[in-house]
Amino acid sequence: MPANPIINDRRNKVERRSIGTAAQFPIITTQGICIRKDRRITPERRVSNIVVKEWSIKNSIFEVLFGEKEKGK
């Protein structure tokens, strides 16, 4: 199967994003509030760093956890 030239072109471009902070802390807001540190986190957006684990359980346990609710309850 030939490679998709659109995807390859997009993935080969220079990275535009950076992980550096946009502001220096502490910051004083316009309301006079002092913000001491940045509490935001940058989630990993690339699929290559995602870890997926698969768990196996008995069908009877699965039905108890995820089965349809009994009528009247």
Side-chain angles (χ1 to χ4, degrees):
M1 178 181 264
N4 186 333
I6 296 171
I7 292 175
N8 289 337
D9 182 49
R10 184 185 73 220
R11 291 183 181 172
N12 290 329
K13 289 183 179 179
V14 177
E15 181 66 45
R16 296 178 295 120
R17 297 171 293 218
S18 66
I19 59 172
T21 57
Q24 299 295 319
F25 288 87
I27 295 175
I28 306 294
T29 66
T30 55
Q31 291 82 23
I33 300 169
C34 178
I35 308 211
R36 296 176 190 242
K37 65 181 181 175
D38 188 0
R39 294 178 35 191
R40 295 174 293 179
I41 59 168
T42 305
E44 181 57 49
R45 296 175 54 176
R46 292 173 179 82
V47 175
S48 62
N49 290 337
I50 293 177
V51 177
V52 177
K53 293 184 179 181
E54 182 177 340
W55 292 75
S56 296
I57 61 172
K58 293 180 181 179
N59 285 341
S60 58
I61 296 173
F62 182 87
E63 287 300 320
V64 169
L65 296 174
F66 302 105
E68 291 186 33
K69 302 284 184 192
E70 292 182 30
K71 291 182 180 180
K73 285 191 175 183

Coordinates of all heavy atoms in Angstrom, one line a residue:
M1 N 0.9 -1.2 0.0 CA 0.0 0.0 0.0 C 0.9 1.2 0.0 O 1.8 1.4 0.8 CB -0.9 0.0 1.2 CG -1.8 1.2 1.3 SD -2.8 1.1 2.8 CE -4.3 0.5 2.1
P2 N 0.7 2.2 -0.9 CA 1.5 3.4 -1.0 C 1.3 4.3 0.2 O 0.2 4.4 0.7 CB 1.2 4.1 -2.3 CG -0.2 3.5 -2.6 CD -0.3 2.2 -2.0
A3 N 2.3 5.0 0.7 CA 2.2 5.9 1.8 C 1.3 7.2 1.3 O 1.4 7.6 0.2 CB 3.5 6.4 2.2
N4 N 0.6 7.7 2.3 CA -0.2 8.9 2.0 C 0.7 10.1 2.0 O 1.2 10.5 3.1 CB -1.3 9.0 3.1 CG -2.3 10.1 2.8 OD1 -2.0 11.1 2.1 ND2 -3.5 9.9 3.3
P5 N 0.8 10.8 0.9 CA 1.8 12.0 0.8 C 1.3 13.1 1.7 O 2.1 13.9 2.2 CB 1.8 12.3 -0.6 CG 0.5 11.8 -1.2 CD 0.2 10.5 -0.4
I6 N 0.0 13.3 1.9 CA -0.5 14.3 2.8 C -0.1 14.1 4.2 O 0.4 15.0 4.9 CB -2.0 14.5 2.7 CG1 -2.4 14.8 1.2 CG2 -2.6 15.5 3.6 CD1 -3.9 14.8 0.9
I7 N -0.3 12.9 4.7 CA 0.1 12.6 6.1 C 1.6 12.7 6.3 O 2.1 13.3 7.2 CB -0.4 11.2 6.5 CG1 -1.9 11.2 6.6 CG2 0.2 10.8 7.9 CD1 -2.5 9.9 6.9
N8 N 2.4 12.2 5.4 CA 3.8 12.2 5.5 C 4.3 13.7 5.4 O 5.2 14.0 6.2 CB 4.5 11.4 4.3 CG 4.3 9.9 4.5 OD1 4.1 9.5 5.7 ND2 4.4 9.2 3.5
D9 N 3.7 14.5 4.6 CA 4.1 15.9 4.5 C 3.9 16.6 5.8 O 4.7 17.4 6.3 CB 3.4 16.6 3.4 CG 3.8 18.0 3.2 OD1 5.0 18.3 3.2 OD2 2.9 18.9 3.1
R10 N 2.7 16.4 6.4 CA 2.3 17.0 7.7 C 3.2 16.6 8.8 O 3.6 17.4 9.6 CB 0.9 16.7 8.0 CG 0.4 17.4 9.2 CD -1.0 17.0 9.6 NE -1.0 15.7 10.2 CZ -1.8 14.7 9.9 NH1 -2.9 15.0 9.2 NH2 -1.7 13.6 10.5
R11 N 3.6 15.3 8.9 CA 4.4 14.8 10.0 C 5.8 15.2 9.9 O 6.6 15.1 10.8 CB 4.2 13.3 10.1 CG 2.9 12.9 10.5 CD 2.7 11.4 10.7 NE 1.4 11.1 11.1 CZ 0.9 9.9 11.2 NH1 1.7 8.9 10.8 NH2 -0.3 9.7 11.5
N12 N 6.3 15.6 8.7 CA 7.7 15.9 8.5 C 8.0 17.4 8.7 O 9.1 17.8 8.7 CB 8.2 15.5 7.1 CG 8.3 14.0 7.0 OD1 8.5 13.3 8.0 ND2 8.0 13.5 5.8
K13 N 7.0 18.2 9.0 CA 7.2 19.6 9.2 C 7.8 19.9 10.6 O 7.7 19.0 11.5 CB 5.8 20.4 9.2 CG 5.2 20.4 7.8 CD 4.0 21.3 7.7 CE 3.4 21.3 6.3 NZ 2.2 22.1 6.3
V14 N 8.4 21.0 10.7 CA 9.1 21.4 12.0 C 8.0 21.6 13.0 O 6.9 22.1 12.8 CB 9.8 22.7 11.8 CG1 10.4 23.2 13.1 CG2 10.9 22.5 10.7
E15 N 8.2 21.1 14.2 CA 7.3 21.2 15.4 C 7.1 22.7 15.7 O 8.0 23.4 16.0 CB 7.9 20.4 16.6 CG 7.0 20.5 17.8 CD 5.7 19.7 17.6 OE1 5.7 18.6 17.0 OE2 4.6 20.3 17.9
R16 N 5.8 23.1 15.7 CA 5.5 24.5 16.0 C 5.2 24.7 17.5 O 5.3 25.8 18.0 CB 4.2 24.9 15.3 CG 4.4 24.9 13.8 CD 3.1 25.3 13.1 NE 2.1 24.2 13.3 CZ 0.9 24.5 13.9 NH1 0.6 25.7 14.3 NH2 0.0 23.5 14.1
R17 N 4.8 23.7 18.2 CA 4.5 23.8 19.6 C 5.8 23.7 20.5 O 6.7 23.1 20.1 CB 3.5 22.7 20.1 CG 2.2 22.8 19.3 CD 1.4 21.7 19.6 NE 2.0 20.5 19.0 CZ 1.4 19.5 18.5 NH1 0.1 19.5 18.4 NH2 2.0 18.5 18.0
S18 N 5.7 24.2 21.7 CA 6.8 24.1 22.6 C 6.2 23.7 24.0 O 5.0 24.0 24.3 CB 7.6 25.4 22.7 OG 6.8 26.4 23.2
I19 N 7.0 23.2 24.9 CA 6.5 22.8 26.2 C 6.9 23.9 27.2 O 6.6 23.7 28.4 CB 7.0 21.4 26.6 CG1 8.6 21.4 26.6 CG2 6.5 20.3 25.7 CD1 9.1 20.1 27.2
G20 N 7.6 24.9 26.8 CA 8.0 26.0 27.8 C 6.8 26.8 28.2 O 5.7 26.8 27.6
T21 N 6.9 27.4 29.4 CA 5.8 28.2 29.9 C 5.7 29.5 29.1 O 6.7 30.1 28.7 CB 6.0 28.5 31.4 OG1 7.3 29.1 31.6 CG2 6.0 27.2 32.2
A22 N 4.5 30.0 29.0 CA 4.3 31.2 28.2 C 4.5 32.4 29.1 O 4.7 33.5 28.6 CB 2.9 31.2 27.6
A23 N 4.4 32.2 30.4 CA 4.5 33.4 31.4 C 5.5 33.1 32.5 O 5.7 31.9 32.8 CB 3.1 33.7 32.0
Q24 N 6.0 34.1 33.0 CA 6.9 33.9 34.2 C 6.1 34.0 35.5 O 5.3 34.9 35.6 CB 8.0 35.0 34.1 CG 8.9 35.0 32.9 CD 9.7 33.7 32.8 OE1 10.2 33.2 33.8 NE2 9.8 33.1 31.6
F25 N 6.4 33.2 36.4 CA 5.7 33.2 37.7 C 6.6 33.7 38.8 O 7.8 33.5 38.7 CB 5.2 31.8 38.0 CG 4.1 31.4 37.1 CD1 4.3 30.8 35.9 CD2 2.8 31.6 37.5 CE1 3.2 30.5 35.1 CE2 1.7 31.3 36.7 CZ 1.9 30.7 35.5
P26 N 6.1 34.3 39.8 CA 4.7 34.6 40.1 C 4.2 35.7 39.3 O 4.9 36.6 38.8 CB 4.8 35.0 41.6 CG 6.1 35.6 41.8 CD 7.0 34.8 40.9
I27 N 2.8 35.7 39.1 CA 2.1 36.7 38.3 C 1.1 37.5 39.2 O 0.5 36.8 40.1 CB 1.3 36.1 37.2 CG1 2.3 35.4 36.2 CG2 0.4 37.1 36.4 CD1 1.6 34.6 35.1
I28 N 1.0 38.8 39.0 CA 0.0 39.5 39.7 C -1.1 39.9 38.7 O -0.8 40.5 37.7 CB 0.6 40.9 40.3 CG1 1.8 40.6 41.2 CG2 -0.5 41.6 41.0 CD1 1.5 39.8 42.4
T29 N -2.3 39.4 39.0 CA -3.4 39.6 38.1 C -3.9 41.1 38.1 O -3.5 41.8 39.0 CB -4.6 38.7 38.4 OG1 -5.1 39.1 39.6 CG2 -4.2 37.3 38.4
T30 N -4.8 41.5 37.2 CA -5.3 42.8 37.2 C -6.2 43.1 38.4 O -6.4 44.3 38.8 CB -6.1 43.1 35.9 OG1 -7.2 42.1 35.8 CG2 -5.3 43.0 34.7
Q31 N -6.6 42.0 39.1 CA -7.4 42.2 40.3 C -6.5 42.2 41.6 O -7.0 42.3 42.7 CB -8.4 41.1 40.5 CG -9.6 41.1 39.5 CD -9.2 40.4 38.2 OE1 -8.3 39.6 38.1 NE2 -9.9 40.8 37.1
G32 N -5.2 42.1 41.4 CA -4.2 42.2 42.5 C -3.9 40.8 43.1 O -3.3 40.8 44.2
I33 N -4.4 39.7 42.5 CA -4.2 38.4 43.1 C -2.8 37.9 42.6 O -2.4 38.0 41.4 CB -5.3 37.4 42.6 CG1 -6.6 37.9 43.1 CG2 -5.0 36.0 43.1 CD1 -7.8 37.2 42.5
C34 N -2.0 37.4 43.6 CA -0.7 36.8 43.3 C -0.8 35.3 43.0 O -1.3 34.6 43.8 CB 0.3 37.0 44.4 SG 1.9 36.3 44.1
I35 N -0.4 34.9 41.8 CA -0.4 33.5 41.4 C 1.0 33.1 41.5 O 1.9 33.5 40.7 CB -1.0 33.3 40.0 CG1 -2.3 34.0 39.9 CG2 -1.0 31.9 39.6 CD1 -3.4 33.5 39.1
R36 N 1.3 32.2 42.4 CA 2.7 31.8 42.7 C 3.3 30.8 41.7 O 4.5 30.9 41.4 CB 2.8 31.2 44.1 CG 2.4 32.1 45.1 CD 2.4 31.5 46.5 NE 1.8 32.4 47.5 CZ 2.5 32.8 48.5 NH1 3.7 32.5 48.7 NH2 1.9 33.7 49.3
K37 N 2.5 29.9 41.1 CA 3.1 29.0 40.2 C 2.0 28.5 39.2 O 0.8 28.6 39.5 CB 3.7 27.8 40.9 CG 2.8 26.9 41.6 CD 3.5 25.7 42.3 CE 2.5 24.8 43.0 NZ 3.2 23.7 43.6
D38 N 2.5 28.0 38.1 CA 1.6 27.4 37.0 C 1.2 26.0 37.4 O 2.0 25.2 37.6 CB 2.4 27.4 35.7 CG 1.5 27.1 34.5 OD1 0.3 26.8 34.7 OD2 2.0 27.1 33.4
R39 N -0.1 25.8 37.6 CA -0.6 24.5 38.0 C -1.1 23.6 36.8 O -1.5 22.5 36.9 CB -1.8 24.6 39.0 CG -1.3 25.2 40.3 CD -2.4 25.4 41.2 NE -3.5 24.4 41.2 CZ -4.6 24.5 41.8 NH1 -4.9 25.6 42.5 NH2 -5.5 23.6 41.7
R40 N -1.0 24.2 35.6 CA -1.4 23.5 34.4 C -0.4 22.3 34.1 O 0.7 22.4 34.4 CB -1.5 24.4 33.2 CG -2.6 25.4 33.3 CD -2.5 26.3 32.2 NE -1.3 27.1 32.2 CZ -0.9 28.0 31.4 NH1 -1.6 28.2 30.3 NH2 0.3 28.6 31.5
I41 N -0.9 21.3 33.5 CA -0.1 20.2 33.0 C -0.3 20.1 31.5 O -1.3 20.4 31.0 CB -0.3 18.9 33.7 CG1 -1.8 18.4 33.5 CG2 0.0 18.9 35.2 CD1 -2.0 17.0 33.9
T42 N 0.7 19.6 30.8 CA 0.6 19.4 29.4 C 0.5 17.9 29.2 O 1.4 17.1 29.4 CB 1.9 19.9 28.7 OG1 2.1 21.3 29.0 CG2 1.7 19.8 27.2
P43 N -0.7 17.5 28.7 CA -0.9 16.0 28.5 C -0.2 15.6 27.3 O 0.1 16.4 26.4 CB -2.4 15.9 28.3 CG -2.9 17.2 27.8 CD -1.9 18.2 28.5
E44 N 0.2 14.3 27.3 CA 0.9 13.8 26.1 C -0.1 13.6 25.0 O -1.1 12.9 25.1 CB 1.5 12.4 26.5 CG 2.3 11.8 25.3 CD 3.3 12.7 24.7 OE1 4.2 13.2 25.5 OE2 3.3 12.8 23.5
R45 N 0.1 14.2 23.9 CA -0.8 14.2 22.7 C -0.4 13.2 21.7 O -1.1 12.9 20.7 CB -1.0 15.6 22.1 CG -1.6 16.6 23.1 CD -1.6 17.9 22.6 NE -2.2 18.0 21.3 CZ -2.5 19.0 20.6 NH1 -2.1 20.2 21.1 NH2 -3.1 19.0 19.4
R46 N 0.8 12.6 21.8 CA 1.2 11.8 20.7 C 0.9 10.3 21.1 O 1.1 9.9 22.2 CB 2.7 11.9 20.6 CG 3.1 13.3 20.0 CD 4.5 13.5 20.0 NE 4.8 14.8 19.4 CZ 4.7 16.0 20.1 NH1 4.4 16.0 21.3 NH2 5.0 17.1 19.5
V47 N 0.4 9.6 20.1 CA -0.1 8.2 20.3 C 1.1 7.3 20.7 O 0.9 6.4 21.4 CB -0.8 7.7 19.0 CG1 -1.2 6.3 19.1 CG2 -2.0 8.6 18.7
S48 N 2.3 7.6 20.3 CA 3.4 6.7 20.5 C 3.7 6.6 22.0 O 4.3 5.6 22.4 CB 4.7 7.2 19.8 OG 5.0 8.5 20.2
N49 N 3.3 7.5 22.8 CA 3.6 7.4 24.3 C 2.4 7.0 25.1 O 2.5 7.0 26.3 CB 4.1 8.8 24.8 CG 5.4 9.1 24.3 OD1 6.2 8.3 23.9 ND2 5.7 10.4 24.2
I50 N 1.3 6.5 24.5 CA 0.2 6.0 25.2 C 0.4 4.5 25.5 O 0.8 3.7 24.6 CB -1.1 6.2 24.4 CG1 -1.4 7.7 24.3 CG2 -2.3 5.5 25.0 CD1 -2.6 8.1 23.4
V51 N 0.1 4.1 26.7 CA 0.3 2.8 27.1 C -1.1 2.2 27.4 O -1.9 2.8 28.1 CB 1.1 2.6 28.4 CG1 1.2 1.2 28.9 CG2 2.5 3.2 28.2
V52 N -1.4 1.1 26.8 CA -2.7 0.4 26.9 C -2.5 -0.9 27.5 O -1.7 -1.7 27.1 CB -3.5 0.3 25.6 CG1 -4.8 -0.4 25.8 CG2 -3.7 1.7 25.0
K53 N -3.3 -1.2 28.6 CA -3.2 -2.6 29.2 C -4.5 -3.3 29.1 O -5.6 -2.7 29.2 CB -2.8 -2.4 30.7 CG -1.4 -1.9 31.0 CD -1.1 -1.9 32.4 CE 0.3 -1.4 32.6 NZ 0.7 -1.4 34.0
E54 N -4.5 -4.6 28.8 CA -5.7 -5.4 28.6 C -5.8 -6.3 29.8 O -4.9 -6.9 30.3 CB -5.6 -6.2 27.4 CG -6.8 -7.0 27.1 CD -6.7 -7.8 25.8 OE1 -5.9 -7.4 24.9 OE2 -7.4 -8.7 25.6
W55 N -7.0 -6.3 30.4 CA -7.3 -7.2 31.5 C -8.4 -8.2 31.1 O -9.3 -7.9 30.3 CB -7.9 -6.3 32.7 CG -6.8 -5.4 33.3 CD1 -6.4 -4.3 32.7 CD2 -6.1 -5.6 34.5 NE1 -5.4 -3.7 33.5 CE2 -5.2 -4.5 34.6 CE3 -6.1 -6.6 35.4 CZ2 -4.4 -4.4 35.7 CZ3 -5.3 -6.4 36.5 CH2 -4.4 -5.4 36.6
S56 N -8.3 -9.4 31.6 CA -9.2 -10.4 31.3 C -10.0 -10.8 32.6 O -9.4 -10.9 33.7 CB -8.6 -11.7 30.8 OG -7.9 -11.4 29.6
I57 N -11.3 -10.9 32.5 CA -12.1 -11.3 33.7 C -13.1 -12.3 33.2 O -13.4 -12.4 32.0 CB -12.9 -10.1 34.3 CG1 -13.8 -9.4 33.3 CG2 -11.9 -9.1 34.9 CD1 -14.7 -8.4 34.0
K58 N -13.6 -13.1 34.1 CA -14.6 -14.1 33.8 C -15.9 -13.4 33.3 O -16.2 -12.3 33.7 CB -15.0 -15.0 35.0 CG -13.8 -15.8 35.5 CD -14.2 -16.6 36.7 CE -13.1 -17.4 37.2 NZ -13.5 -18.2 38.4
N59 N -16.6 -14.1 32.4 CA -17.9 -13.6 31.9 C -18.9 -13.3 33.0 O -19.6 -12.3 32.9 CB -18.5 -14.5 30.8 CG -17.7 -14.5 29.5 OD1 -17.0 -13.6 29.2 ND2 -17.9 -15.6 28.7
S60 N -18.9 -14.1 34.0 CA -19.9 -13.9 35.1 C -19.6 -12.6 35.8 O -20.5 -11.9 36.2 CB -19.9 -15.1 36.0 OG -18.5 -15.3 36.6
I61 N -18.3 -12.3 36.0 CA -18.0 -11.1 36.7 C -18.3 -9.9 35.8 O -18.8 -8.9 36.3 CB -16.5 -11.1 37.1 CG1 -16.2 -12.2 38.1 CG2 -16.0 -9.8 37.7 CD1 -14.8 -12.4 38.5
F62 N -18.0 -10.0 34.5 CA -18.3 -9.0 33.6 C -19.8 -8.6 33.6 O -20.1 -7.5 33.6 CB -17.8 -9.4 32.1 CG -18.1 -8.3 31.1 CD1 -17.1 -7.3 30.9 CD2 -19.2 -8.3 30.4 CE1 -17.3 -6.3 30.0 CE2 -19.4 -7.3 29.4 CZ -18.5 -6.3 29.2
E63 N -20.6 -9.7 33.6 CA -22.1 -9.4 33.6 C -22.5 -8.7 34.8 O -23.4 -7.9 34.8 CB -22.8 -10.8 33.4 CG -22.7 -11.4 32.0 CD -23.3 -10.4 31.0 OE1 -24.4 -9.8 31.3 OE2 -22.8 -10.4 29.9
V64 N -21.9 -9.1 36.0 CA -22.2 -8.4 37.2 C -21.9 -6.9 37.1 O -22.6 -6.0 37.5 CB -21.5 -9.0 38.4 CG1 -21.7 -8.2 39.7 CG2 -22.1 -10.4 38.7
L65 N -20.7 -6.6 36.6 CA -20.2 -5.2 36.5 C -20.9 -4.4 35.4 O -21.2 -3.2 35.6 CB -18.7 -5.2 36.3 CG -17.8 -5.8 37.5 CD1 -16.4 -5.9 37.1 CD2 -18.0 -5.0 38.8
F66 N -21.0 -5.0 34.3 CA -21.4 -4.2 33.1 C -22.7 -4.7 32.4 O -23.1 -4.2 31.4 CB -20.3 -4.2 32.0 CG -19.0 -3.7 32.6 CD1 -18.0 -4.5 32.8 CD2 -18.9 -2.3 32.8 CE1 -16.8 -4.0 33.3 CE2 -17.7 -1.8 33.3 CZ -16.6 -2.7 33.5
G67 N -23.4 -5.7 33.0 CA -24.6 -6.2 32.4 C -25.8 -5.2 32.6 O -25.7 -4.3 33.3
E68 N -26.8 -5.5 31.9 CA -28.0 -4.7 32.0 C -28.6 -4.7 33.4 O -28.6 -5.8 34.1 CB -29.1 -5.1 31.0 CG -28.6 -4.8 29.6 CD -29.8 -5.1 28.6 OE1 -30.9 -5.0 29.0 OE2 -29.5 -5.6 27.5
K69 N -29.1 -3.6 33.9 CA -29.7 -3.6 35.2 C -31.0 -4.3 35.2 O -31.8 -4.3 34.2 CB -30.0 -2.1 35.6 CG -28.8 -1.2 35.6 CD -28.0 -1.5 36.9 CE -26.8 -0.5 36.9 NZ -25.8 -0.8 37.9
E70 N -31.3 -5.0 36.3 CA -32.6 -5.8 36.4 C -33.7 -4.8 36.5 O -33.6 -3.8 37.1 CB -32.5 -6.7 37.6 CG -31.5 -7.8 37.5 CD -31.6 -8.7 38.7 OE1 -32.7 -8.8 39.3 OE2 -30.5 -9.3 39.1
K71 N -34.8 -5.2 35.9 CA -36.0 -4.3 36.0 C -36.5 -4.2 37.4 O -36.5 -5.2 38.1 CB -37.1 -4.9 35.1 CG -36.7 -4.7 33.6 CD -37.9 -5.2 32.7 CE -37.5 -5.1 31.3 NZ -38.5 -5.5 30.4
G72 N -36.9 -3.1 37.8 CA -37.4 -2.9 39.2 C -36.4 -2.5 40.2 O -36.7 -2.3 41.3
K73 N -35.1 -2.4 39.8 CA -34.1 -2.0 40.7 C -33.6 -0.6 40.4 O -33.5 -0.2 39.3 CB -33.0 -3.0 40.7 CG -33.3 -4.2 41.5 CD -32.1 -5.1 41.7 CE -32.4 -6.3 42.5 NZ -31.3 -7.1 42.8

